[in-house]
Every structure is written in C-alpha cells, then in structure tokens.
C-alpha cells in the first residue's frame, strides 16, 4: 500500500504536466486565478505553454511565463496538447 501521507505534493506544482495550446485568437496569462489580476503576458492562437496543474476551482491552468513567473490561463482559452 502506498503511503500518500509521505508524498511531497509541492513537487507536483514544480513538475510540468505537458503543454497546453491556445485555442482563441489571444489569451492572457494572469498573475493569479482571476481575470481581474494583472496580465503577465499574452499568448496567440496555437502558441504552446507548459502547464503545472490547475487552480483550486478548475477554471485556470497553472503555467510558467517566459521569464519563469507563475501564471494562470483560463481553461476555456486553451486545451491540453498531445502533439
């Protein structure tokens, strides 16, 4: 039986889960999981960005910006890329 209590869950947030691809003409990367927060960068349709899981409400992907900052992209503006 696996001891889940001994799992270091913080490592999950620092390990890439793969890429998401932008599905809208333009998608903002926000500083927090709110579209009222500051925009860190903007991605264009078909751009790919690594993601690191989801926010607590499953409304945003957790991503890293080009400079390595933590950011958030709306789930409805991107999809998991398998290519």
């Amino acid at each position: 039986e696996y001891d889940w209590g001994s799992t270091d869950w913080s490592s999950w947030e620092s390990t890439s889960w793969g890429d998401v691809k932008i599905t809208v003409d333009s998608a903002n990367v926000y500083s927090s999981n709110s579209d009222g927060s500051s925009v860190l960068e903007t991605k264009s349709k078909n751009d790919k960005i690594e993601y690191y899981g989801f926010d607590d409400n499953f409304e945003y992907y957790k991503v890293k910006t080009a400079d390595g900052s933590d950011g958030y992209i709306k789930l409805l503006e991107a999809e998991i890329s398998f290519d």
Side-chain angles (χ1 to χ4, degrees), residues 21-75:
K21 183 169 68 175
I22 306 305
T23 57
V24 294
D25 289 338
S26 155
N28 290 326
V29 178
Y30 297 101
S31 60
S32 71
N33 59 335
S34 164
D35 58 11
S37 63
S38 58
V39 175
L40 301 176
E41 62 186 14
T42 302
K43 296 293 187 181
S44 301
K45 187 169 186 143
N46 296 321
D47 282 354
K48 289 185 182 176
I49 186 169
E50 280 188 302
Y51 79 108
Y52 296 82
F54 303 92
D55 76 326
D56 293 338
N57 299 319
F58 292 96
E59 294 176 5
Y60 291 81
Y61 292 106
K62 293 180 181 180
V63 298
K64 294 274 190 211
T65 63
D67 70 3
S69 301
D70 291 332
Y72 295 83
I73 287 184
K74 288 182 181 179
L75 280 178

